[in-house]
Amino acid sequence: MEILQQKDMDAYRAFVQAHPKGHFMQSPEWGQVKNDWKWAAVVEKDAGGAIIGSVAVLIRRVPVLPVTLMYAPRGPVCDLHDRDTLAKLIGGVRALAVKHHAYLFKIDPDILSSDTASAENMKRLSFTLHDGGKNFDGIQPRFVFRLNIEGKTEDEIFAGFSSKTRYNVRVAKKHGVEVKVCDKRALSEFVPIMRTTGQRDGFATRPQSYFERMLDAFGEHARLYMAYHEGKAIAGTVAIQYGDKTWYLYGASANESRNLMPNYLLQWEMIRWAQQTGCRIYDFRGVSGDLSPDNPLYGLYRFKKGFNGDFTEFAGEFNLVLNAPAALLVDNGIRLTKKFRHLKNRRHDPKSE
């Protein structure tokens, strides 16, 4: 086990991209995007010096207290059934934790809920599992759709979509919706539409600088897709491709022209990119695990389901407490903050009077 050095960065990138558990959030590029965190990585090598396991860690100072939180999004990258390699990687993380005064190490690895053996390995390394709720309760989505496109032609992939989804892709084309791959200058069109989408659907959005860093850091591995109708931007998406996978990260649509179904055509163009570059998986990212039609998020589930991906449930978040007294202080602080916000919101809610 060793802390990743700059001289091994190219070998590290190659390993993460080639490994079945590789993920763009375990790349050095993701550390450039998350520039309000420190980035470090631990690697395990075989006798010949080749990397056989890795874990990239984001490190952030906790307000007020002299401790940090360490988080490895979708890490580690290794055979998650190999307890020996896992143990050595976690040993390296513990060494990092001492250096950075970390009170907690959090991971949300690519472990399916059905993979009880990998989950048990994590528990034997002193992790506790927090499986969360059915909606977007964790840092990363617990439920996603993944479309396996390995060895398939475009026609075969398209034929697998639901009839309604195929129809909506054709509707966008019929009405003259044009999809373009754009450089970051088009973010001036994308970000306002993203803001509109957040206001409409009730979620916080990122500033333009965040998307600029993403496109700059990932280069040819990231794409901004924009949909136009009669020269006007009406929708957009951001996708990242790393190794054998492509992820749909962000999507936005203007309030007007949604009847032209631009988001269906945008998805199809991103899937085509994944197929043309030999990817194995196209990942639609998060959906709710509550499949009730009464769930406000059911429309998102129905939209992504139409592309015939596999509904995938991860095990959840695993926490390794490194400093128990500090963890207790942080947990109590979070609870008090939530209670204060709840009371504050009630005072401003006329329904509570």
Side-chain angles (χ1 to χ4, degrees), residues 68 70 93-94 97-98 101-105 320-325 327:
T68 64
M70 297 176 62
V93 170
R94 286 183 179 274
V98 172
H101 307 288
Y103 83 96
L104 181 73
F105 177 47
L320 176 62
V321 174
L322 302 163
N323 182 331

Side-chain angles (χ1 to χ4, degrees), residues 55-96:
V55 56
V57 179
L58 296 171
I59 307 162
R60 191 171 189 175
R61 176 75 178 269
V62 175
V64 181
L65 297 175
V67 295
T68 64
L69 168 69
M70 297 176 62
Y71 170 49
R74 291 295 186 241
V77 179
C78 66
D79 178 359
L80 296 169
H81 295 109
D82 181 353
R83 195 183 308 164
D84 183 60
T85 296
L86 272 174
K88 290 176 179 177
L89 290 172
I90 301 308
V93 170
R94 286 183 179 274
L96 270 180

